[in-house]
Amino acid sequence: MSLMVLAALFLCGLAFAVTVFSVTDLVVLVVFTIGAAVCVEGSRRLETQRHAGSSRDLLGAWWFPVVLLLPPVYAFLIPIPIYLLNQRRIRQTLMYRRVFNMVSVGLFGFLISVVWHWLISGDLMEGLRGSGEVSQWLATLPGLLVAFAGCAVFTLLNTLAVALAIRISMRGKRKLPPLWDRESLMVDAVEISMGIVVAILCNISLFLVPIALPPILLLQRSLLYQQLQNAARTDPKTGLLNAPTWEQEASIEIARARAARNRSAVLIIDIDHFKRVNDTHGHLFGDQVLMGVATTISHHLRQSDLLGRFGGEEFVVLLPGSDVNEAWHAAERLRVEVGCMEIAVEKVKVTVTVSVGLAVVGEHGNDLVELLTAADLALYRAKETGRNRVCLPDGRDDGEAPEPREGRGTPAVPERPQGIADA
């Protein structure tokens, strides 16, 4: 981050030295800033809690025109009031993150603006100062294509920079969502298109810019509504499916398995002595433990498996197509991997273990309610027989337990295999 800030300050100073400021350019900057501020205010009541990862909005519809129409130095200026307004009116976060976002948007916007003006004028110094021939170039098809490509490159660079910063700050504590999916690509394309539309309207007349405000607000509200729907499906602390959503999707999968006469298994995973963790290290550290366990479990599941947080320190997993032996080995693998996990608190390494209850379709129940009841009974047996183990409801030993792995979080070599415990 420090290198980006230094580079931004150097380039901003260089651009200030060669730019000829005009009242017209400043008025245009103010108009675009007001448009972005209206969009920020319009999203206040719909803003949702975000998880780690990059998020999409439509504010680029207001700073893309700055990149295309104004001298490059203005690309450094417009993110400042917008992110400060976000910090004050939408969601307060660590200030260094806001600064990084400002620097990232300003730096990459400046570079794209320099290249854009350079291509128009054919001279690098003119590119730094800003070419006066933007109006003619933006009115041509090649100019529009180059403008769209430049905005797309800006979006790519900014998203990669933010994702890299998040990955460094998280240090592998949590699985990050993908940078792009079908929906995010569509949002990026809409954002770029609206930015170019605003630039064209401003190119014709500054008084036409307010025409673009209602459709941008409508598109942004649609985007935030989708975020609300996603937030209603997920647990705010771990990012996993919440209990109602998991139950709904698991019921569909179990009904499908029953119709096709396939097997599926349900696991209930409970963190052992979690209250002791909270009482000893505090609830904030307890939240880190929850995220760490959620990440570890999700990293060792198949793509088809369904993972959710059931509440408190309990997680639930649906394993489609798994019989008793396959599900037991999967549960045992998760138990061992969580036991090997370490979380640091004040330079002290803390480990946790989990107990797992297991139930299989056709053997322990025929619908989700019966399976959850059976798995919960098995979890109770795991707790009663020593914790840090996998149990079935009926106490049968359904296979040879693997050799216990050495390492933190796993029990010492027991007198009998710690697989499926007997009642």
Side-chain angles (χ1 to χ4, degrees):
M1 177 177 171
S2 299
L3 292 177
M4 288 187 64
V5 172
L6 291 176
L9 290 175
F10 172 77
L11 292 175
C12 186
L14 179 63
F16 262 99
V18 300
T19 301
V20 178
F21 293 91
S22 68
V23 175
T24 302
D25 290 342
L26 291 174
V27 170
V28 172
L29 177 68
V30 170
V31 170
F32 290 152
T33 304
I34 292 174
V38 171
C39 288
V40 170
E41 286 295 320
S43 66
R44 281 188 65 200
R45 296 187 180 183
L46 291 175
E47 180 67 8
T48 62
Q49 182 177 1
R50 289 172 181 155
H51 308 295
S54 59
S55 57
R56 262 66 176 182
D57 52 43
L58 293 178
L59 293 177
W62 298 105
W63 51 57
F64 286 149
V66 173
V67 170
L68 298 175
L69 296 178
L70 299 181
V73 69
Y74 289 94
F76 283 117
L77 301 181
I78 190 170
I80 298 174
I82 301 308
Y83 278 111
L84 290 178
L85 187 62
N86 261 298
Q87 177 76 3
R88 181 174 179 82
R89 301 290 288 173
I90 299 294
R91 183 170 56 99
Q92 291 189 357
T93 185
L94 296 175
M95 199 59 199
Y96 77 88
R97 295 181 179 176
R98 292 294 187 199
V99 172
F100 178 84
N101 287 330
M102 293 179 199
V103 172
S104 178
V105 169
L107 180 60
F108 294 124
F110 172 82
L111 295 176
I112 296 301
S113 184
V114 169
V115 174
W116 164 255
H117 289 92
W118 185 9
L119 290 175
I120 295 174
S121 63
D123 182 75
L124 179 58
M125 289 305 298
E126 285 295 321
L128 285 172
R129 283 192 292 264
S131 173
E133 302 175 1
V134 172
S135 299
Q136 297 87 339
W137 183 246
L138 199 57
T140 65
L141 179 60
L144 289 175
L145 294 177
V146 173
F148 192 93
C151 294
V153 172
F154 165 86
T155 301
L156 173 65
L157 294 175
N158 186 58
T159 304
L160 291 177
V162 172
L164 179 61
I166 293 173
R167 186 171 295 276
I168 292 174
S169 65
M170 295 301 293
R171 296 176 183 176
K173 294 179 183 177
R174 187 172 177 183
K175 184 179 181 180
L176 297 179
L179 295 181
W180 283 280
D181 52 24
R182 188 175 180 180
E183 181 180 343
S184 61
L185 286 174
M186 184 178 297
V187 172
D188 289 340
V190 170
E191 182 181 44
I192 294 171
S193 300
M194 291 305 302
I196 294 176
V197 168
V198 173
I200 293 174
L201 290 174
C202 184
N203 196 30
I204 298 172
S205 172
L206 186 61
F207 296 103
L208 294 178
V209 172
I211 296 176
L213 188 57
I216 293 176
L217 282 172
L218 182 61
L219 289 170
Q220 183 158 310
R221 289 177 70 88
S222 300
L223 172 62
L224 292 171
Y225 176 73
Q226 182 63 40
Q227 291 178 357
L228 280 173
Q229 286 186 317
N230 293 336
R233 290 170 47 85
T234 56
D235 169 63
K237 287 186 178 180
T238 62
L240 303 178
L241 294 178
N242 57 27
T245 304
W246 184 89
E247 289 179 6
Q248 181 181 7
E249 297 192 10
S251 296
I252 295 173
E253 288 293 332
I254 290 173
R256 185 181 295 122
R258 290 287 297 167
R261 296 185 179 180
N262 292 331
R263 292 296 180 91
S264 288
V266 169
L267 310 179
I268 299 182
I269 303 172
D270 185 89
I271 302 176
D272 296 327
H273 301 297
F274 186 68
K275 185 178 183 300
R276 186 183 303 170
V277 173
N278 281 331
D279 293 342
T280 303
H281 304 290
H283 290 276
L284 290 179
F285 181 77
D287 290 345
Q288 293 185 38
V289 171
L290 286 174
M291 289 191 296
V293 172
T295 301
T296 300
I297 294 174
S298 62
H299 281 173
H300 293 87
L301 292 177
R302 303 167 300 181
Q303 188 174 2
S304 60
D305 297 335
L306 197 63
L307 171 62
R309 184 184 175 201
F310 213 46
E313 64 271 27
E314 286 188 345
F315 300 88
V316 281
V317 183
L318 178 70
L319 303 173
S322 296
D323 58 19
V324 173
N325 282 328
E326 292 170 340
W328 178 78
H329 281 94
E332 182 68 11
R333 182 175 65 252
L334 296 177
R335 180 191 69 81
V336 173
E337 293 295 340
V338 171
C340 293
M341 180 187 71
E342 290 182 341
I343 299 177
V345 53
E346 297 179 353
K347 298 182 180 180
V348 177
K349 300 294 184 179
V350 176
T351 61
V352 295
T353 61
V354 293
S355 300
V356 185
L358 164 64
V360 178
V361 173
E363 293 201 26
H364 308 113
N366 294 320
D367 58 30
L368 183 60
V369 174
E370 293 178 354
L371 290 170
L372 287 175
T373 301
D376 190 57
L377 174 62
L379 177 64
Y380 177 79
R381 292 187 57 257
K383 295 285 188 180
E384 288 295 305
T385 53
R387 292 184 167 87
N388 190 21
R389 62 188 63 210
V390 179
C391 283
L392 284 165
D394 49 17
R396 291 182 299 112
D397 193 343
D398 284 275
E400 183 181 356
E403 291 294 329
R405 287 176 51 177
E406 295 182 358
R408 294 181 177 89
T410 57
V413 178
E415 297 179 358
R416 58 181 304 279
Q418 282 232 14
I420 303 174
D422 291 330

